[in-house]
Amino acid sequence: MIIALSLILAFQLVGEILSRALDLPLPGPVVGLCLLVAACVLRPALADRLRSTAQGLLAHLSLFFVPAGVGVVAHWPTLRDQGIGLAVAITGSTVLAIAAGAMTFQAVARWTRSVDPSALKEDKND
């Protein structure tokens, strides 16, 4: 397990170094994850070696939200003062993201001439 965790963290470190050195618009952990996925595709033995540790991490994923909860408690006065604005911003951005995803799906479905007509919303102007 220590070796597998070390490998995962090494990929994250390499991703962080590449992200900063190349001034990439992606965070280092994302670059590292992409490299890890590529390495697992190229070397299936690596994927087999990491599988049990990765599944263990995913099984306890809720523990990774503890720092967020601590942050909420630590910044309670700010949340009390700015809570309505934060709630509006979060709700608005979520609605916009869902709408952008739906419109993108609809555009791609039209562009690829989807074979499932129920997947398309017909325009009334057609």
Side-chain angles (χ1 to χ4, degrees):
M1 183 176 196
I2 292 174
I3 293 172
L5 284 173
S6 297
L7 282 169
I8 292 170
L9 291 174
F11 274 97
Q12 181 176 351
L13 176 63
V14 169
E16 191 69 43
I17 291 169
L18 287 175
S19 178
R20 289 178 186 228
L22 301 175
D23 198 28
L24 297 175
L26 295 172
V30 173
V31 174
L33 179 64
C34 291
L35 292 172
L36 179 61
V37 169
C40 287
V41 168
L42 294 174
R43 304 211 37 140
L46 178 63
D48 292 336
R49 184 173 191 125
L50 297 177
R51 182 169 286 116
S52 64
T53 302
Q55 287 175 339
L57 283 173
L58 289 174
H60 298 90
L61 192 61
S62 61
L63 292 176
F64 292 110
F65 292 104
V66 170
V70 170
V72 167
V73 171
H75 295 285
W76 190 252
T78 303
L79 288 173
R80 185 183 59 236
D81 296 339
Q82 305 294 328
I84 293 174
L86 287 169
V88 169
I90 291 170
T91 303
S93 64
T94 301
V95 168
L96 287 173
I98 291 171
M103 288 189 290
T104 302
F105 170 78
Q106 198 171 24
V108 169
R110 281 199 175 102
W111 180 55
T112 59
R113 294 184 176 94
S114 174
V115 295
D116 184 8
S118 66
L120 299 175
K121 180 181 175 187
E122 297 297 324
D123 286 339
K124 294 180 181 179
N125 298 333
D126 287 332

